[in-house]
Amino acid sequence: MTDTRVHIRPEIAVLPAYQQGRQAAADAFKLSSNENPFPPLPGVVEAVQAQTAFNRYPDASALAVRAVLANRFGLTPDQVHVAPGSVAILHELARAVSAPGDEVVYAWRSFEAYPGVVTVAGATSVQVPNRPDGGHDLDAMAAAVTERTRMVIVCSPNNPTGPVVTAAEFDAFMTRVPATVLVVLDEAYAEFVTEPTAVRGAPLLERYPNLVVLRTFSKAYGLAGLRVGYALGPTYVLDAVRACAIPLSVTAQGQAAALASLEREDELLERVAELAQSRDRIVAALRDQGWDVPDAQGNFVWLPTGERTTHAADAFDRAGIIVRAFGNEGIRISIGEHEAVETLLETAASLVEDLQMAPSDRPLR
């Protein structure tokens, strides 16, 4: 019988769609999506509500946002690209530099969208296992670069495990990567980093002409629902990215919210500091309970629950803590409302003894 179905690329037909963190009931805490628990900064809602010309297209280039960011980082507006979230820029970058037969190197486990980004572009993923501490193995990543490599993604802090790449590690890595290979430093959680040795991408753009830095307004700035991210990098690379972008994809409301948020840096940093302090207290408490928690530098913590991940996630769920489970590897828990901390730690404490006694080839600690 003749197949009358539309032809779908085989690799796309088997590619799982991106799964966001599960929603929470009204009486539970959603700690599954690394969202900012604070409401929008003062003035942001008003700025968004003022954008009522829904019958008009937004500024396709988001020039006002790009100009402010360019001034902040000492760049020109052409060295800044704004898109609906930094993950959209990852898609644009992959399409701009890679094609079938090309390779993209990244650490694993890392941001769960990376495999889909590469596959949709038609390229091949080269996944390099993380170190035992959850950080990138940059030596192994550099060794994985071949003549077919078109892009390398470095995620710092790494989502979902938490550790950063240090400045020294990144510099050593960049000396080993050919100048013709694009290196993308994904800094979606950069504002939460308190480790003084961590790499900071923007100051390195002049030193490394094959570097693009990704940032977002979704996390620290709390604009996840408005989808605004940005890239910093060479003009010719970002021009190629703009050619791959979906036109008019950043709304006027998103642009207004980004501009209003950028005007309130002091209040933003206060909130970020509060979340980072809460994160550090949670990490310390979990380690005291016996959990082997990697260094956490984002707005989340990682529990290496291994083959007991589903069991652990269900226990948190029953306690009203909605977490993000990753196969048979572990659980990521976002730093949320203060009211959630006690329940989170009580549940973790009840789990650690249970899981340590459960038979498994993958120890908890």
Side-chain angles (χ1 to χ4, degrees):
M1 183 177 179
T2 302
D3 190 348
T4 58
R5 293 176 297 178
V6 171
H7 175 72
I8 305 293
R9 286 166 50 194
E11 66 272 26
I12 299 299
V14 298
L15 180 68
Y18 175 80
Q19 298 292 323
Q20 72 175 125
R22 191 160 60 83
Q23 300 297 314
D27 59 347
F29 295 100
K30 185 188 178 191
L31 306 184
S32 57
S33 293
N34 291 349
E35 296 160 331
N36 192 321
F38 289 104
L41 289 161
V44 171
V45 171
E46 292 78 4
V48 170
Q49 290 174 335
Q51 297 297 320
T52 58
F54 303 138
N55 56 316
R56 302 296 184 187
Y57 289 116
D59 174 6
S61 71
L63 180 57
V65 180
R66 288 164 54 213
V68 172
L69 291 171
N71 182 65
R72 172 165 298 198
F73 291 106
L75 304 171
T76 68
D78 286 343
Q79 293 174 290
V80 183
H81 172 58
V82 175
S86 56
V87 69
I89 305 175
L90 280 167
H91 276 281
E92 295 159 3
L93 285 164
R95 292 197 299 269
V97 303
S98 60
D102 295 332
E103 295 177 348
V104 176
V105 176
Y106 53 90
W108 198 252
R109 173 166 296 272
S110 194
F111 181 33
E112 64 267 31
Y114 292 161
V117 165
V118 177
T119 299
V120 169
T124 300
S125 285
V126 177
Q127 297 182 345
V128 178
N130 285 322
R131 301 182 311 232
D133 66 358
H136 282 18
D137 186 341
L138 288 184
D139 285 338
M141 290 177 67
V145 173
T146 71
E147 68 278 359
R148 294 184 298 277
T149 306
R150 297 294 176 265
M151 185 166 80
V152 181
I153 307 172
V154 177
C155 187
S156 180
N158 187 47
N159 173 24
T161 57
V164 295
V165 170
T166 69
E169 289 171 339
F170 191 76
D171 283 336
F173 170 75
M174 291 298 288
T175 64
R176 298 180 59 186
V177 177
T180 54
V181 173
L182 176 67
V183 176
V184 179
L185 181 57
D186 187 347
E187 292 189 312
Y189 301 91
E191 291 86 356
F192 298 101
V193 173
T194 55
E195 169 54 54
T197 66
V199 65
R200 297 289 182 175
L204 301 178
L205 290 170
E206 187 172 355
R207 187 188 310 176
Y208 301 118
N210 59 330
L211 175 65
V212 167
V213 178
L214 299 186
R215 303 286 289 270
T216 184
F217 287 94
S218 295
K219 308 303 181 185
Y221 287 90
L223 301 184
L226 289 172
R227 310 303 301 130
V228 186
Y230 62 96
L232 312 173
T235 298
Y236 81 96
V237 174
L238 297 188
D239 281 345
V241 167
R242 286 184 270 266
C244 295
I246 297 174
L248 303 156
S249 55
V250 182
T251 66
Q253 292 73 30
Q255 294 180 43
L259 289 169
S261 296
L262 287 168
E263 292 175 356
R264 290 158 176 81
E265 186 87 34
D266 291 343
E267 293 159 286
L268 171 76
L269 294 177
E270 289 176 5
R271 292 179 172 193
V272 167
E274 185 174 336
L275 289 170
Q277 290 166 4
S278 179
R279 172 200 69 201
D280 292 346
R281 287 193 295 269
I282 290 171
V283 168
L286 289 170
R287 287 174 175 167
D288 286 344
Q289 292 175 1
W291 290 97
D292 184 13
V293 181
D295 185 30
Q297 288 291 308
N299 66 337
F300 53 87
V301 297
W302 173 255
L303 299 184
T305 47
E307 295 174 4
R308 288 96 79 194
T309 293
T310 299
H311 170 78
D314 288 344
F316 278 110
D317 194 353
R318 290 191 297 271
I321 302 292
I322 309 304
V323 299
R324 185 69 180 270
F326 291 85
N328 290 326
E329 297 172 69
I331 287 171
R332 187 192 69 196
I333 307 176
S334 306
I335 306 304
E337 296 84 352
H338 291 301
E339 295 80 4
V341 174
E342 183 177 355
T343 303
L344 187 166
L345 293 176
E346 287 177 354
T347 307
S350 68
L351 274 170
V352 69
E353 194 171 319
D354 176 32
L355 295 181
Q356 285 172 333
M357 291 190 303
S360 172
D361 295 330
R362 301 178 67 177
L364 188 64
R365 57 190 297 188

